[in-house]
Amino acid sequence: DISERKQAEERRRLLQTVAAALSQAMTQEEVTKIALEQGIAGLGATGGTIAILTQDQSHLQIIGTLGYPKQVTDKWAKFPLDHPTAPIALAMREQRHLWLGSPEERAQILPMMPDLTQEERHQAWAVLPFIVNEDLIGAIGLGFDHPRNFDDAERAFLITLTDYYAQALWRTMLTQRMAQLATAE
């Protein structure tokens, strides 16, 4: 199928572009910017969030968003890992990918989640935790304007892209810790 081959080629190009950019990224901010501006936008998502665990691993801290108004991002800047209605918290607690293709699927998985405001409204979501060497470090959440079926190829692609982001974030976190230790010495 020509459209499948074309889509596979576009995904391959996006992976190459993102991998090259991430190899040059030295800070969390740079990794986040690449993930949001190149990765999320390249996937056709209209909203995206990247969160990391706080040092004590009790909260999630949003380190970057795309496509959400400031009042929404301010409201969710930091929230507990055991938050009962946040899809990104659920994905991290259970260390699993969430593929929510419609508002009905979201309601099934997160029945306590209140109705979304107009600014937060999406029709489909993909939420993937960042796991490196069995360590949970954060997650990425993607929002789409239309319901969608995440087929196997799209899921595999998103998982691969998420692994790239997780590795790059992990590297920047280790670099930051090493700098802090050097300063302390």
Side-chain angles (χ1 to χ4, degrees):
D1 186 302
I2 294 173
S3 63
E4 286 180 19
R5 280 187 289 182
K6 184 178 178 184
Q7 192 172 44
E9 180 60 26
E10 288 173 6
R11 288 178 178 162
R12 185 187 65 75
R13 275 196 299 271
L14 180 58
L15 282 176
Q16 287 176 329
T17 301
V18 168
L22 289 173
S23 71
Q24 302 296 314
M26 301 302 290
T27 65
Q28 257 182 321
E29 293 78 18
E30 291 172 338
V31 171
T32 301
K33 183 177 180 181
I34 292 164
L36 293 172
E37 292 178 1
Q38 292 182 17
I40 290 175
L43 296 168
T46 54
T49 302
I50 297 177
I52 58 171
L53 276 172
T54 57
Q55 194 80 4
D56 66 3
Q57 298 192 345
S58 67
H59 285 75
L60 292 166
Q61 180 176 348
I62 303 296
I63 61 171
T65 64
L66 180 71
Y68 294 105
K70 184 167 176 23
Q71 68 265 24
V72 172
T73 58
D74 288 349
K75 174 182 161 187
W76 288 96
K78 186 176 178 182
F79 55 96
L81 183 59
D82 63 358
H83 196 285
T85 64
I88 206 162
L90 175 64
M92 290 187 60
R93 282 193 311 273
E94 295 185 0
Q95 295 188 23
R96 70 178 177 114
H97 306 123
L98 294 179
W99 308 103
L100 309 171
S102 68
E104 294 78 24
E105 285 182 46
R106 179 188 56 83
Q108 281 182 326
I109 292 176
L110 292 160
M112 298 193 55
M113 188 173 182
D115 288 336
L116 299 174
T117 66
Q118 192 61 35
E119 294 84 17
E120 298 170 308
R121 190 166 308 277
H122 282 105
Q123 297 295 307
W125 303 263
V127 185
L128 300 96
F130 294 143
I131 301 172
V132 179
N133 301 326
E134 299 182 23
D135 290 326
L136 182 66
I137 62 170
I140 187 169
L142 307 170
F144 300 87
D145 278 348
H146 304 288
R148 67 190 301 140
N149 176 25
F150 296 97
D151 63 28
D152 290 341
E154 186 172 26
R155 288 178 185 210
F157 176 71
L158 288 171
I159 291 167
T160 300
L161 202 53
T162 299
D163 288 344
Y164 283 19
Y165 299 146
Q167 291 290 333
L169 277 174
W170 181 252
R171 179 177 39 82
T172 64
M173 291 171 154
L174 290 177
T175 302
Q176 185 178 21
R177 286 184 198 145
M178 296 288 285
Q180 289 170 344
L181 288 173
T183 300
E185 285 182 11

